[in-house]
Amino acid sequence: MKVYVSAIGIKRLAVSTVAGRGGVWRGMKWKNSLPAAGKRRLSHRTIRLFAGLLLPFLLVRTALLVLESASLCSSPIGCLTWRFFGGSDGALLREELTRALLEASGSENGGGIGTVEGSNSDPVSFKDLVKDMTLNRQDIKAFAFKTKAMIAKMEHIVKTAQWHESMYWHLAARGVPKSLHCLSLEMAEEYAVNAAARSRIPLPQYIHRLTDTSFHHVVLLTDNILAASVVISSTLNTSRNPEKLVFHVVTDKKTYTSMHAWFSVNSIGSAVVEVKGLHQYDWPHEVNVAVKEMLEIHHQIWNHNYRSLKTEDLECGNENYHKLDVLSPSSVSLLNHLRVYLPELFPDLNKVVFLDDDVVVQHDLSPLWDLDLNQKVVAAVVDSWCGTDCCPGRKYKDYFNFTNPIISSILYENRCGWLCGVNVFDLQRWRKSNITAVYHQWLKLSLNSGFELWHPGALPPALLAFENHVHDIDHSWHIAGLGYRYPLVDKQILETAAVVHFSGPAKPWLEIGSPEARHLWTRHINSSNHHIRKCGIVS
């Protein structure tokens, strides 16, 4: 049996009011019946997702009704409404349409009407589809194939748009906000014109604390003045013994004067802060050579991954989003990679707490210096707040390429990687190990294997180098992932965490940062500071 579509009498599609939970459909427009207090604003992403799920069903169902109405009803509009969710007059028609749809979905996508791209003559909307069917008097089988092509094209467009959106979101994280650039310039000028901004820090009477192992030493490697200020301010505000804290801020040559000026003119109370530029270190020749070699390999890894990102098909799914990590500034950051040289940076210290510059301290960290590492080198959180062996996005399979036999033979893909950013390092034990040498061996092995051992990022080689040297600590010390678009951490868990970490592209000083979590960071900014107000950092 062949059934043809006629447009006679079909002027308009009206859908009767159908009660739904929280609202009703009226004239194909959603009217919310909830009280004003219960209304929630829907994002464009949610609307697109909802439309993507609902439209294919409505498209096929409405087309079926049009076909039934044209063939079985004297008045299509009159019988269209009650058949929208039922009706038995079109049983034969539905059976034939079902067979046609199954045949279309099971066909190969090799060309013709079934291809994703489709031809230029393919309908691009339901209105065009009905017009095409009525003018050419095509049968249900042709309708099924054209419908399949339309839906496949829609899915392709949506996936491509999602991939582009994620790429642009990651690219936005590479920018330096005007306000931070302003602050750096302001402090550089302050260093040049204000003698107090050039004063020695710490003061001479506190110099001995820099190497005194009885004090609590905190290390930051950063070129972000505002971020360093927030980390130190939040640590001091939550500390029970701030007078025992010694902060070691290591920065690059271009940021040194601005960073020095900031901490010279902004007192941190009874604690001590040291600002040191990389150009002020006098390392042995072999260390300088090793650092240079390390950076060259990391740049080659970055170049390889970036070229792969540009040439691969952009129609990728969520499983390939990790490839966008190559867009992260940390991929080629000297300060980010230098953490593997902490023993050389601080030869006189035995134990330090390392903090990333995108963290906020919420509770006293003093117990970390008394922590027994059980003969290990580093203490870190392994299991997340969601339970044992629960670490979304941090499984080894998210870091490493398990199709490579070198990786698959020594690692377990469902194992959790430890969190970097809030760590206790036993530098004395580190010096007795070969961790740094193993790190370099893995970098060379990655170079020789064509950079196919791990995905983009600075952490994978560190995970390999510190294998069997990690002491697991309670997850409440470190809650990470606030730098991603939709943090899933419960508010109560955030409040109880000792440190919250904005790991991910959306740093709290960027406009793309999550508003729900950003207040945890901004509350530690001194809004009364003249330079902060002048640069518009806090509105």
Side-chain angles (χ1 to χ4, degrees), residues 176-198:
V176 177
K178 180 181 178 181
S179 56
L180 294 190
H181 188 61
C182 167
L183 182 62
S184 182
L185 292 177
E186 282 285 313
M187 299 316 300
E189 182 181 6
E190 191 77 14
Y191 186 90
V193 301
N194 186 355
R198 298 190 298 271

Side-chain angles (χ1 to χ4, degrees), residues 74-232:
S74 58
S75 176
I77 296 178
C79 64
L80 185 61
T81 301
W82 72 271
R83 286 178 185 164
F84 191 81
F85 290 104
S88 59
D89 293 341
L92 292 177
L93 182 61
R94 284 195 295 273
E95 184 179 346
E96 183 169 344
L97 180 59
T98 300
R99 285 199 301 269
L101 288 173
L102 290 174
E103 183 178 348
S105 63
S107 64
E108 292 296 329
N109 222 8
I113 200 170
T115 59
V116 173
E117 293 80 5
S119 62
N120 293 332
S121 61
D122 282 344
V124 295
S125 67
F126 177 70
K127 181 179 179 181
D128 292 338
L129 177 63
V130 173
K131 182 179 179 180
D132 182 47
M133 297 296 294
T134 55
L135 290 178
N136 299 322
R137 295 188 61 79
Q138 298 181 14
D139 58 18
I140 289 181
K141 183 175 180 180
F143 163 78
F145 274 87
K146 286 182 178 290
T147 302
K148 175 194 173 185
M150 283 182 59
I151 294 176
K153 186 183 293 185
M154 291 177 186
E155 291 178 347
H156 173 78
I157 293 172
V158 170
K159 287 181 178 179
T160 303
Q162 289 174 337
W163 179 254
H164 285 163
E165 181 188 23
S166 294
M167 178 178 288
Y168 299 148
W169 191 68
H170 278 72
L171 284 172
R174 291 185 62 91
V176 177
K178 180 181 178 181
S179 56
L180 294 190
H181 188 61
C182 167
L183 182 62
S184 182
L185 292 177
E186 282 285 313
M187 299 316 300
E189 182 181 6
E190 191 77 14
Y191 186 90
V193 301
N194 186 355
R198 298 190 298 271
S199 62
R200 184 173 182 177
I201 53 172
L203 295 175
Q205 59 267 35
Y206 300 124
I207 290 291
H208 71 280
R209 294 190 186 183
L210 299 180
T211 56
D212 191 336
T213 56
S214 65
F215 284 85
H216 295 166
H217 297 270
V218 182
V219 172
L220 287 89
L221 306 180
T222 180
D223 59 355
N224 189 323
I225 300 170
L226 187 63
S229 172
V230 168
V231 173
I232 292 177

